[in-house]
Amino acid sequence: MVEHHLDMVVVGGSIPLVPTNNNRISSEIIMPVITLPDGSQRQFANPVTIAEVAASIGPGLLKAALAGIVDGKLVDTSFLIANDAVVSIVTDKDKEGLEVIRHSAAHLLAQAVKSLFPSAQVTIGPVIENGFYYDFAYERSFTPEDLVRIEEKMYEIAKSDLAISHEVISRDQAIDFFTSLGEAYKAKIIADIPATETLTIYKQGDFVDLCRGPHVPSTGKLKAFKLTKLAGAYWRGDPNNEMLQRIYGTAWGDKKSLDAYLHQLEEAEKRDHRKIGKHLDLFHMQEEAPGMVFWHANGWAIYTQIKQYISKMLVDNDYEEIQTPQLVDLDLWRKSGHWDMFGEEMFTVKTDDERQYALKPMNCPCHVQVFKQGLRSYRDLPIRLAEFGCCHRNELSGAMHGLMRVRQMVQDDAHVFCMEEQIQAESFKIIQLVINVYRDFGFNDILVKLATRPDKRIGSDAQWDHAEEALAKSLQEAGLQFNISAGEGAFYGPKVEFHLRDSLGRTWQCGTLQLDYSQPDRLGAYYIAEDSSKKVPVMLHRAIIGTLERFIGMLIEHYAGKFPVWLAPIQAVVMNITERQEEYAKEITSFLKKQGIRAKSDLRNEKIGFKIREHTLQYVPYLLVVGDREVETRTVSVRTQQGVDLGSLSFDKCLDLLNEAIAKKGRIDFEEKRN
């Protein structure tokens, strides 16, 4: 991962420089042996830079080199290797190469802004997924026209192919220097760094940047980038601080990749769930209830269909569906540890008897309370409790985003209470359930991560060994490939994360399987073991779709509003050609509704072509047309949303067609691709 959170910028001025330790070579003759990724080795007569290693392999690699990896550490091409090392050359084809490109593009943006708007102050500018941003303090708001000028200046600087070099500066020197330039934000950031720490500065032309790096060798390596949008951002993310201006951008290794990403952004804009939600009359949100959803009939049809489907899966997998209170005494959240961790995100209320309550931000402590009711025996385990729990979290107003980030949410939450020896079997069942649900919703590209023990944790090494091994074996048994996210587990146990790739290639973290040794113990849960002793159960937190609101937002964008039949708010519309078929159209609609089909009639005195077009634009899967011939033959003319004419079918044949499409759920594409 590229280090980037100390980014600072200045044009002009001079800084007393300290030579980098990297350049201090003793008089002793050093002949480093470099081991390359293919296992081959090269010995050099003297200490050697990454660029020189690349040159020894070939001029093409030298030209493509952006950075290097030395014994696992990402470094500049100027990095000097004085000892034996394992080395790989980083190019724009590598993930690390894109990180370096985006990091350097962020600095290029800062240089362009300082060149065009000298009084602007630069604060921070990290790399983010698919791009970068920089926050600026400036006396007026930047405009879209400014963005065009800034981007043009960036390309001008890039074309100049300025060499990028780095040196070391002490913290106190950096504070004095930036303070003398009136760069208050930078000085504040540096002041928070320990006084003993030395900092690295990067230079390109007359531009100086305080940063940990690494960076590309020269600005000419930056060939494909685009500034995408303007936004506001509070200094240091605190709404009590001043508002800064954030400029977002994206950067890639070549123009083809940039164009592909920009096309993806255009498609994402078209698929924005807020726009489609309004077009299809699914939901709305308003200022009187910020971060909370007003579901309309069409959206509620999708919501209830998902909920009913998940409920059936719970029954099929031996879960007990429960319901727990939304408002719970604050004392429970203190005992569970949630108040200490999430207190600022919780809504609280005090009653006339001076008791304090909180709207639950999650369901886990309440499920432990259900487990504790009555004496539990080892013979009762595992116990699987599930809930569509309504939770509330006080998200910052600037962080909320349609259905994707809300304050009131319903989670498809479950907790499995089991014995240590049941972890692997229960985990395997959960993983199978999760994957089957995703397939039904049309998500076939699933990325899985296993997050392992962090440095700060509870429990013995033996417990962690068993837990991690159980989760890994469960994933292997399910036939899933997974990546290890070392050290990213919770302090109380390892976890499995499920990331879904949508039709635009974006990934969304969705489901989790979290192993918890801590919370049942904190809240006094136990069962009677076979030897009659009291033992604390292991708790498996399990979420499949996460929150219904966010998942529906994902589905809207994944399908661009063109839902598979089983999720479509209206599955079929019956349309008459003239008034003579009105009663017959009503009869068909009534027949379909009684069979569980979400159908409606369109009996308006409009031309049939107009009706067909209107419902096609509303993405209704099946359009059923009736004229005099259909009345006479007791049939219905069937047309798909894609415009395919399926001819005239009897009532029963039409029903079979609809039921067959509904039964496939979202697996239609998956099955067709597989076959």
Side-chain angles (χ1 to χ4, degrees), residues 608-632:
I608 193 62
F610 176 84
K611 292 182 182 181
I612 290 173
R613 174 173 171 75
E614 186 172 279
H615 294 296
T616 297
L617 293 176
Q618 287 294 306
Y619 309 142
V620 177
Y622 288 97
L623 310 177
L624 312 182
V625 179
V626 293
D628 290 338
R629 186 183 65 174
E630 284 74 25
V631 173
E632 183 180 341

Side-chain angles (χ1 to χ4, degrees), residues 254-266:
D254 54 66
K255 190 174 185 303
K256 182 179 178 182
S257 299
L258 173 63
D259 289 343
Y261 177 69
L262 293 177
H263 175 70
Q264 184 188 82
L265 286 184
E266 290 175 8

Side-chain angles (χ1 to χ4, degrees), residues 538-549:
V538 179
M539 183 164 72
L540 302 179
H541 302 253
R542 183 238 70 193
I544 303 176
I545 63 176
T547 71
L548 270 73
E549 291 79 6

Side-chain angles (χ1 to χ4, degrees), residues 81-93:
I81 307 166
N83 299 298
D84 295 350
V86 177
V87 174
S88 59
I89 308 301
V90 174
T91 72
D92 61 17
K93 306 301 180 187

Side-chain angles (χ1 to χ4, degrees), residues 87 134 156 158 232 253 297 315 337 374 425 442 444 462 502 531 535 581 603 606 667:
V87 174
Y134 243 113
E156 179 185 319
V315 172
N444 309 312
D502 68 11
D531 62 0
K535 288 193 174 180
Q581 302 94 37
L603 307 175
E606 299 283 358
R667 292 178 179 254

Side-chain angles (χ1 to χ4, degrees), residues 38 83 115 122 137 141 208 310 335 357 365 433 596:
D38 62 0
N83 299 298
S115 176
V122 179
S141 297
V208 181
I310 296 292
K335 289 178 182 176
Y357 295 85
L433 171 61

Side-chain angles (χ1 to χ4, degrees), residues 10 20 46 53 74 88 190 194 246 262 270 276 287 322 349 398 403 407 479 504 519 543 587 643 651:
V10 61
T20 61
N46 297 292
V53 173
L74 190 63
S88 59
I190 300 168
R246 178 170 294 176
L262 293 177
K270 294 175 187 175
I276 294 175
E287 274 304 308
I322 62 174
V349 62
L403 298 178
R407 284 178 173 162
L504 290 181
Q519 197 165 145
E587 180 186 348
F651 281 23

Side-chain angles (χ1 to χ4, degrees), residues 454-520:
D455 292 335
K456 293 183 179 179
R457 58 184 183 271
I458 63 169
S460 67
D461 286 344
Q463 277 183 316
W464 278 88
D465 288 342
H466 179 261
E468 290 171 355
E469 183 181 8
L471 291 181
K473 285 185 175 179
S474 300
L475 291 167
Q476 291 164 353
E477 188 180 354
L480 296 177
Q481 294 183 340
F482 58 93
N483 295 319
I484 299 291
S485 296
E488 294 187 13
F491 73 92
Y492 49 77
K495 65 177 177 178
V496 177
E497 297 177 355
F498 299 91
H499 298 252
L500 307 183
R501 194 183 302 279
D502 68 11
S503 56
L504 290 181
R506 302 171 300 180
T507 56
W508 304 83
Q509 184 182 337
C510 201
T512 56
L513 166 55
Q514 175 80 60
L515 196 148
D516 189 350
Y517 288 107
S518 172
Q519 197 165 145

